Amino acid sequence: QKFLGKIGGREVSQLMLGSANYSVDDYPVAVIDRIEVIRGPGASIWGTNAVNGVLNLVTKHAGDTQGDSLRLAIQDNGTFLGDYVHGGQISEDSFYRVWVRDQEYTEGTLDSGSPARDDGHLRKAGFRFDGELGSDLSYYVSGGVSTRRLDHVLDLSNRLLYNAAGESNLVQGGIKSALGLDSAMDLSQVSVPLSVAQSLLLSGLPLSKLPSALSYNSPAWANVLNGQISYQAVSGQSIARFERYGEMTNDSAHIISKIDGITDFDMEWSLTGSLDHTDIYMGHLGYEWKQTQYNLSFDANFPLTDRHRISYGVATQHTDLDVKSEILDVFQFPGETLRPILDYDQSFTKFDRYTGYIQDSISLTDEVLISVGAKVEENDLAGFGLQPGIRASWIANDQNIFWAGYAKTHRQPSLRERYTDLTPIWTWNSTTSKWESKTYEGDSSLDREEMDAYELGWRLRPSEDLLFELSTYYYDTQNAVRAATSLTSVNAYEAVDAEAYGGELSIDWHASDLWRLRGGYSLARGKVDGVRVYDFPENTASLSSHFKYSDEVTLIQNLFYSGETKIPSDYNPITIPSHLRLDLGIVWQIKGDWEIGLFGRDLLESYHVETMYPGVDVEPARVERTFILTLLKKF
């Protein structure tokens, strides 16, 4: 949510969730010119949400993809990807490209061994046309469509709670003992998962007022039993898990046009316009939104003097939304007040954004370079904002470069955080024998997150074949948005102060003309309101090797390490242990423009877990050992 994603010249972040869906917005490898990764804040040029970095995928000119190429990737579990790209020429200075892709996903496995029920498919197609209007004036038009269908699960087991305030002192004492609660605690303020209460009943503890079958939508609940899983709430006991599966769909289309040129006084300029439409349905939550977005931008740069180069630009964006919520069948309790899990405020469906930036790249001397600039923005979500930045570098000698930077960057709260009410749990009140829901409101008063970012770096090249880079950072964030769904919370999210700091060391070594090694280590720390948080790996490392055994055969090795992660959750907080991952591959170039690759991933263990989405899931999925065969043919 704090990376700005730009793919093929357009911004792909969604206002609703505040993040980009890269699985839908990617491209075939054959049409990618480069992927620019801007580490750290880039807001003075790129604008809002470019907090931790920018990912910018640039596609090739259609003239650079002439002919045909076919690429297949087949995984041992049945997952499949296929690309076909065709490029042609219309006239001396006009070219076109069309491509199609099919991806088929097989079902994965949850950490408990239960089926993940996440199989599906993604189908895409796209085009690009490039032409010239003159010697210094060119343009292109590109577009694409995609459709994705995936199953996804909503775990219901810990969303149904039981309040034992109406039980006898004996029963309440047994519950407190089983859950390790203080004997003096007032249970009227405590609700336990209904599945836990049921397991306590099976253990001989008499719970007299468990909900009756008549309180459920029986036909809906009859089909959601999935298996057995051990929850942390009652150590060593297995309880039935109930899950509701729904289809996640994503249908999207876009078109973009860009014209660029250069003037007589060496000003490079471009004018870009795009139209995007996305329809996303989260069936397991009963939530759908359609987003239509219009973008227009102008960018230019020119040499002011021998030592100054000015870059500037202006842009506007308009977004239309259509949001729908539905009440899931399993939560349609007879005679009770019904609410959807996510309920959007329909007063906020149109948003405008206007931005402008200017930057001066200054050569103070041949060794000292400074870039200073700022971006201003006015938008309907967060009002007016100024995002300045300055970076400087000093070339001390042929081997050493030192650099430093400061930036103030903004993250815009997502529409879910501001305007969507969350009703994640339902509690059976043993005193009234009724279901009661708890709703956490979206907070429309949430302002933009503002981060002051400080960075220092040193790049050392002791020889032509060896490069070291060391960088450090400190990020201080005000109004950082965090989930706040405790029993006493009113809003689903709250604004807190946060800070992050750490450093990275990387090495790039060309050991010989045939062998290249790259390695890195990253140390990161984070605090929220002065308290350390551990919901990301604090230590990560990597080592990759590319060895060209012959003109036809290349050997590839990648080794990754990720430290322990503690993921908070209202339903089942988990700790993901540290893990080491080894990938090996061999690529064989065959005469006739054939390329065959064989890759093994996660070879050190049969599976590990990496992360989960705590707002929906209660356990992560396995990342399993896999083998992949790739085929590439150009003709």
Side-chain angles (χ1 to χ4, degrees), residues 143-204:
V145 296
S146 68
T147 180
R148 186 181 71 171
R149 297 292 183 272
L150 292 175
D151 285 338
H152 204 73
V153 62
L154 175 67
D155 194 297
L156 308 171
S157 306
N158 284 13
R159 294 176 181 272
L160 297 184
L161 304 182
Y162 179 79
N163 188 289
E167 296 285 357
S168 67
N169 290 334
L170 174 64
V171 171
Q172 291 193 30
I175 291 177
K176 294 173 185 177
S177 176
L179 299 180
L181 302 176
D182 189 283
S183 59
M185 179 173 288
D186 180 7
L187 278 190
S188 65
Q189 302 299 317
V190 178
S191 298
V192 300
L194 178 61
S195 51
V196 172
Q198 291 171 328
S199 70
L200 292 175
L201 178 61
L202 294 174
S203 301

Side-chain angles (χ1 to χ4, degrees), residues 578-594:
S578 60
H579 57 269
L580 193 63
R581 167 182 165 183
L582 174 65
D583 300 343
L584 296 176
I586 181 171
V587 179
W588 182 21
Q589 302 278 350
I590 306 176
K591 293 182 180 179
D593 292 326
W594 277 96

Side-chain angles (χ1 to χ4, degrees), residues 45-62:
I45 288 288
W46 299 90
T48 292
N49 296 334
V51 177
N52 289 345
V54 180
L55 301 176
N56 183 36
L57 186 151
V58 181
T59 58
K60 293 179 180 178
H61 188 285

Side-chain angles (χ1 to χ4, degrees), residues 134 226 573:
N226 185 49

